[in-house]
Amino acid sequence: MAITNFEVYATRLRDERLDVKLKQTIAHELCESLEAFQPQDYSRFVSILWPVIRDILLKTPPVFVGSAPEQ
């Protein structure tokens, strides 16, 4: 997977203007593409995507309503 794909995912997930449902779709798309990663992609994944994923996890408050899109 090219580094540009990692950057695209990171940019899209970092965009605060995007709706939660769209970010879920992006995250799902990223999850589905994980199988295509090669061992040499791991360090790029960690350096580019992990900070974005970590920020989302730290900044998004937990939601305990089953019907909420954030759930």
Side-chain angles (χ1 to χ4, degrees):
M1 179 171 280
I3 194 162
T4 54
N5 287 342
F6 290 121
E7 291 170 344
V8 169
Y9 281 118
T11 301
R12 292 168 68 195
L13 288 171
R14 189 180 293 125
D15 189 348
E16 294 180 5
R17 297 172 294 164
L18 294 182
D19 181 52
V20 171
K21 284 207 168 272
L22 181 55
K23 284 189 178 187
Q24 286 176 339
T25 301
I26 294 166
H28 179 73
E29 188 179 299
L30 174 61
C31 250
E32 292 295 317
S33 70
L34 287 178
E35 293 176 1
F37 287 176
Q38 299 297 317
Q40 64 269 20
D41 293 327
Y42 181 74
S43 64
R44 290 186 296 183
F45 172 85
V46 170
S47 66
I48 295 170
L49 278 166
W50 176 244
V52 176
I53 294 169
R54 183 179 177 274
D55 284 346
I56 291 171
L57 292 172
L58 290 174
K59 293 178 181 176
T60 306
V63 176
F64 299 102
V65 178
S67 60
E70 295 89 347
Q71 183 65 20

